Amino acid sequence: MRSAPWWALVSSGCAPVLLVGSWMIAQVRQGPAYDPAAETLSVLASYGATSYWLMTGTLLVLGTCYVATAHALRQAALPGRVTLAGGGLSALALTLVPAPSSGGALEHGAVATVGVVLLAAWPPLAAVRGGRPVPWGLRLDVSLAASALMFASALWFVAELQSAGAPGVAERVVTFLQALWPFLVVLSCRRAVRRQARGAAPADDRKR
């Protein structure tokens, strides 16, 4: 079994840290008029917002992290890697269709929806099937549970948008979960290879 390269830890680990750090800085810069519970991240990234360039840069780096991680996860099934990369490209595309300073934007909403769906769907598509041991992050049952949690949080976000409740909270939950999962998968892949190597070493000693 091939291990995910060391730089996959960097690309996948940067995503959740960058995401949380950028929205915390951006909402402070936006001032007390911005309500992080009731307003979405798109408000921070809207054209003309105080932190427009910060959030735009974050989307560029975040999308690149997803694409790089998809390339590095050689243990994962190809459909899942392609889907993860598609989620990264959607994040990059969001920079081309920022939300307007007021009102809705069909293009922005469509691209954001595609990205959320792709990032929620990739775990089971990346799962490795077969009798051989696989990293826990690529097991089908674990992947299905992760995907279900992401889809459930996305539906919660939609419900909060419709009810004008706390869409900002729901959006932060779903985006954090989707940013964190690739990192956990990379960790599981690297641990599985190390565990396999430790198990093989005593057997080689006995042969000698």
Side-chain angles (χ1 to χ4, degrees):
M1 181 189 301
R2 296 176 60 185
S3 174
W6 66 267
W7 54 264
L9 287 173
V10 178
S11 64
S12 61
C14 279
V17 174
L18 176 69
L19 184 65
V20 175
S22 63
W23 83 44
M24 290 182 67
I25 294 172
Q27 65 192 37
V28 169
R29 284 172 51 84
Q30 198 71 11
Y34 177 78
D35 183 355
E39 297 182 270
T40 66
L41 296 174
S42 296
V43 174
L44 298 174
S46 62
Y47 189 74
T50 304
S51 297
Y52 167 73
W53 288 111
L54 171 63
M55 297 303 291
T56 298
T58 297
L59 286 172
L60 289 172
V61 178
L62 186 66
T64 302
C65 285
Y66 286 145
V67 174
T69 303
H71 174 71
L73 277 175
R74 300 299 178 88
Q75 299 99 318
L78 182 59
R81 296 171 61 199
V82 172
T83 305
L84 175 58
L89 294 177
S90 296
L92 297 176
L94 274 178
T95 64
L96 303 177
V97 285
S101 56
S102 61
L106 180 61
E107 297 87 353
H108 177 83
V111 174
T113 299
V114 169
V116 168
V117 170
L118 289 175
L119 291 174
W122 85 271
L125 295 175
V128 178
R129 297 162 177 81
R132 61 188 178 88
V134 298
W136 64 262
L138 294 177
R139 284 169 41 191
L140 182 58
D141 55 345
V142 174
S143 300
L144 285 171
S147 182
L149 180 60
M150 293 178 202
F151 274 115
S153 59
L155 291 175
W156 173 36
F157 172 55
V158 172
E160 292 293 336
L161 277 177
Q162 298 299 320
S163 65
V169 175
E171 184 182 26
R172 283 162 172 76
V173 170
V174 64
T175 53
F176 178 74
L177 289 174
Q178 293 184 331
L180 180 64
W181 185 248
F183 176 65
L184 296 180
V185 174
V186 170
L187 279 181
S188 74
C189 290
R190 290 180 62 85
R191 288 187 62 184
V193 171
R194 288 199 298 268
R195 191 181 305 114
Q196 188 179 53
R198 286 197 298 267
D204 292 340
D205 292 340
R206 285 194 297 269
K207 290 178 182 178
R208 294 193 193 95

